[in-house]
Amino acid sequence: MRFFLILICIGASAFAQQLPVIPLPNQYVKLEGKFSLSSNTPIIVGDEAFRPQANYLQQEMLRSADLTLNLQNKSTAPAIIINRLKPDAGKAGSYQLLIKANEIRISSASEEGIFYAINSLMQLVRESALKGYPVLINSWDIRDQPQYAWRGLMLDESRQFFGKETVKFILDWMAFYKLNRFHWHLTDEPGWRIEIKKYPKLTLVGGIGDFTNRFSPAKYYTQDEIREIVAYARERFITVIPEIDMPGHAGASNRAYPEYSGGGSEKYPDFTFNPAKKETYDFLTDILKETNSLFPSDMVHLGGDEVHFGNENWNKDAHVQQLMKEKKMPDLKSVEHYFIQRMADSLAKMNNKVLLWDEAADSDLPPANTVIFWWRHDKPAQLKHALSKGYQVVLSPRLPLYFDFVQDSTHRVGRRWEGGFNTLERVYNFSPAKLHSAEQTRLVLGIQGALWTERIPQVNKLEYMLFPRISALAEASWTREQNKGYKGFEERLKAHMEIYRKDKIYFFNPFVPLENPEPRIAGAKDN
């Protein structure tokens, strides 16, 4: 018994010494002393290229800690010093954060690295500020870099439209947790959410309705609003990737411009674009040209999934049958691949990569210009197939990375897969390395969580499904496998939940599940 108590004390001490940052940095050492932070602490900018990041630090200190720090060019102690490191072999986004009793030194070879160091610092500041003033920050020596280049989150706004303030809220928290790819699902059957000036009915007609109410007034983003959000994300080193779904999930577009419809099935009417009309490709290329002008990511996601749900009418369409005869296509799958290849060619002419769900790995697309998103967790062979063809991949399997799945056995509104759901621990323990060979590591860009919104019609439900799983996603994508540990993560998360409370976020508490009950949603279906 005595030996057992000693182990408990050692374990508690180890947790107390752990750096309270999420995602956990890959290298850190605890130092002696504390830095006392106040509004009298100056920010010294050693390189003018880092001034935008210094301004961001100023704003965050005021917003979240009520501290008004000034920017200065001369070094005075104690101070926060931002300086540039010489470029080295470290990954993009690497940084150093040195906190001593008389200074905080933020260093990187890049603006991106400086930004990530700032967010690590702000986590320490926010955690300390919860305890009161003055803000005393423990001394640490942190040297860090991300495991994966792609650390993504997808938001579906076709099924439920949330608006730019909610999107900015998500982007802020993505930045806080060093996520850097925002995949924006803007078109699908329920609604078309991106203004296309050449085809105004896409939003005026196609923007009507959502998953809950197909007659709700048209909701969409104007091009000015999209530019505003893209710029907001860019300031936070987040790349925004739009998704324009095709050749399936085309219902909203077909309501607006039925002349380009390829029909559907009894369950999914007007589900597809017509793959046999030149006018269809002209129409969609025009849309992609305007999309390309709004998003500087040089990437567009074309969907390409679940086409078989509603391509039944292709068997009866005279134009499609003639196309199949001329091109000697044996089946409708070949027609689907033909469509995808033509639209991928259109994107290539715009110097854009094509991003697609994993069904498209069967197409003969050029690997250099194609990224495949593996989403069907029950089809690991499709991931292996994509990798074997040399495609770069992003891992976004339903289990455990779809955040519309419930996160606790008692929850009712949300998805399950054969009884399976996505707890915080399952998100955290997702291990890409187990899914591919060592030789294929170079093809794995990273991982992405997905927030589909059929059962998320209101903001408090969105928050409930996203928090705290966004933090587990961040650590799974940033921190090296050998440095991770769920028990340590849980301890760090408790302080972050205090930050959630301060910010009035309606989150799920896995330690006290009844703290915030599952939101009531009128008319929502259970699992």
Side-chain angles (χ1 to χ4, degrees):
M1 177 64 71
R2 183 179 177 184
F3 179 66
F4 178 70
L5 289 173
I6 291 171
L7 283 179
I8 289 177
C9 292
I10 292 172
S13 175
F15 282 139
Q17 293 300 307
Q18 192 179 53
L19 176 66
V21 169
I22 299 174
L24 185 67
N26 284 296
Q27 184 180 349
Y28 60 92
V29 177
K30 180 76 168 60
L31 304 176
E32 293 297 323
K34 297 176 184 287
F35 184 92
S36 180
L37 180 69
S38 73
S39 290
N40 294 321
T41 304
I43 301 172
I44 312 298
V45 185
D47 188 317
E48 279 300 305
F50 294 150
R51 186 165 288 271
Q53 289 72 57
N55 289 141
Y56 176 84
L57 176 58
Q58 264 189 313
Q59 293 164 17
E60 287 301 295
M61 285 287 188
L62 177 59
R63 183 184 69 85
S64 59
D66 293 324
L67 295 172
T68 54
L69 279 60
N70 294 320
L71 300 187
Q72 296 181 11
N73 293 322
K74 295 180 180 180
S75 180
T76 58
I80 299 173
I81 301 169
I82 301 176
N83 64 356
R84 184 180 294 276
L85 295 175
K86 292 181 180 179
D88 55 23
K91 289 184 179 179
S94 63
Y95 68 89
Q96 296 179 16
L97 175 60
L98 180 62
I99 302 172
K100 298 192 295 185
N102 64 339
E103 73 173 19
I104 296 175
R105 188 170 291 272
I106 296 170
S107 308
S108 178
S110 69
E111 289 87 345
E112 182 181 12
I114 294 293
F115 184 79
Y116 294 147
I118 285 171
N119 278 284
S120 289
L121 174 61
M122 285 309 307
Q123 289 192 20
L124 296 172
V125 170
R126 296 208 66 182
E127 190 259 347
S128 298
L130 291 170
K131 303 169 186 174
Y133 294 85
V135 177
L136 300 175
I137 307 170
N138 287 326
S139 294
W140 297 93
D141 184 358
I142 303 168
R143 297 162 190 259
D144 197 18
Q145 62 182 22
Q147 179 183 20
Y148 290 107
W150 191 293
R151 305 179 302 280
L153 182 67
M154 190 221 74
L155 175 66
D156 166 27
E157 284 205 270
S158 172
R159 290 169 177 82
Q160 305 289 350
F161 184 88
F162 292 98
K164 69 179 182 180
E165 294 310 315
T166 299
V167 171
K168 287 181 177 181
F169 164 80
I170 291 172
L171 292 171
D172 282 339
W173 282 96
M174 288 179 66
F176 191 70
Y177 286 127
K178 304 184 182 75
L179 296 171
N180 69 343
R181 298 289 187 273
F182 180 61
H183 175 176
W184 207 2
H185 188 82
L186 291 167
T187 77
D188 209 308
E189 296 163 84
W192 185 282
R193 309 301 184 196
I194 173 173
E195 179 189 23
I196 302 297
K197 292 187 181 294
K198 189 167 184 177
Y199 300 105
K201 287 192 293 184
L202 283 171
T203 48
L204 298 179
V205 177
I208 294 172
D210 54 40
F211 189 83
T212 307
N213 177 9
R214 64 192 183 96
F215 299 112
S216 64
K219 297 176 183 177
Y220 59 91
Y221 291 99
T222 67
Q223 293 195 358
D224 283 343
E225 288 173 322
I226 287 172
R227 291 186 189 96
E228 179 184 342
I229 289 168
V230 168
Y232 192 86
R234 188 189 301 117
E235 291 171 358
R236 288 152 181 77
F237 293 87
I238 296 170
T239 302
V240 184
I241 300 100
E243 180 172 348
I244 309 296
D245 233 327
M246 58 182 78
H249 293 283
S253 177
N254 288 336
R255 289 197 298 274
Y257 294 94
E259 59 267 37
Y260 306 115
S261 174
S265 61
E266 183 177 353
K267 187 175 181 180
Y268 299 97
D270 280 321
F271 187 76
T272 65
F273 291 110
N274 193 307
K277 291 183 177 179
K278 176 183 180 299
E279 294 83 359
T280 301
Y281 297 103
D282 292 341
F283 169 68
L284 292 173
T285 298
D286 287 339
I287 290 170
L288 292 179
K289 284 179 178 178
E290 289 198 33
T291 302
N292 174 51
S293 72
L294 294 169
F295 295 90
S297 60
D298 293 333
M299 294 180 281
V300 178
H301 203 300
L302 296 185
D305 62 310
E306 300 178 330
V307 182
H308 65 282
F309 281 7
N311 64 359
E312 189 178 301
N313 192 65
W314 291 0
N315 283 315
K316 298 178 286 187
D317 187 286
H319 295 95
V320 176
Q321 292 303 303
Q322 181 63 28
L323 174 69
M324 293 177 70
K325 183 177 179 180
E326 290 176 0
K327 301 291 184 181
K328 298 181 180 178
M329 297 177 181
D331 51 30
L332 296 187
K333 194 71 174 175
S334 302
V335 179
E336 180 184 328
H337 294 164
Y338 170 81
F339 180 101
I340 290 293
Q341 287 163 1
R342 283 195 63 166
M343 295 314 303
D345 287 345
S346 291
L347 280 178
K349 291 174 183 175
M350 302 173 207
N351 198 33
N352 273 218
K353 283 191 174 185
V354 60
L355 282 51
L356 295 151
W357 298 110
D358 63 46
E359 290 94 327
D362 298 330
S363 300
D364 291 326
L365 296 169
N369 202 48
T370 305
V371 179
I372 297 295
F373 285 59
W374 179 60
W375 68 281
R376 293 180 294 175
H377 72 279
D378 55 325
K379 296 186 182 295
Q382 194 68 2
L383 171 60
K384 293 179 180 178
H385 179 52
L387 291 168
S388 71
K389 295 179 72 172
Y391 291 129
Q392 290 185 312
V393 299
V394 174
L395 306 179
S396 186
R398 283 173 296 209
L399 297 181
L401 297 185
Y402 273 24
F403 292 169
D404 57 326
F405 278 65
V406 298
Q407 52 196 321
D408 186 81
S409 61
T410 63
H411 292 169
R412 295 172 59 84
V413 180
R415 294 177 64 194
R416 282 183 167 90
W417 184 274
E418 298 178 351
F421 52 95
N422 295 335
T423 64
L424 181 73
E425 185 172 6
R426 288 169 185 160
V427 175
Y428 183 88
N429 287 328
F430 177 63
S431 177
K434 297 176 181 178
L435 297 168
H436 58 82
S437 69
E439 294 76 20
Q440 293 169 331
T441 300
R442 62 181 178 81
L443 296 174
V444 179
L445 295 178
I447 70 176
Q448 179 169 288
L451 198 60
W452 300 99
T453 58
E454 288 95 330
R455 296 172 176 86
I456 306 178
Q458 57 204 41
V459 172
N460 70 339
K461 179 66 172 178
L462 181 148
E463 293 177 355
Y464 195 77
M465 302 303 271
L466 187 56
F467 293 87
R469 289 189 289 192
I470 187 175
S471 64
L473 172 71
E475 193 145 316
S477 60
W478 180 283
T479 306
R480 290 195 293 269
E481 195 74 25
Q482 63 268 30
N483 296 332
K484 289 172 57 184
Y486 186 68
K487 292 298 181 184
F489 169 75
E490 283 187 316
E491 290 301 312
R492 285 176 285 123
L493 181 60
K494 290 173 184 176
H496 282 240
M497 287 182 171
E498 292 299 324
I499 296 173
Y500 300 165
R501 291 185 184 98
K502 186 175 186 299
D503 284 6
K504 296 181 172 55
I505 292 172
Y506 197 83
F507 64 95
F508 171 64
N509 185 343
F511 309 111
V512 187
L514 294 181
E515 177 186 350
N516 292 324
E518 184 181 20
R520 293 182 178 273
I521 299 172
K525 297 179 181 178
D526 291 352
N527 304 299

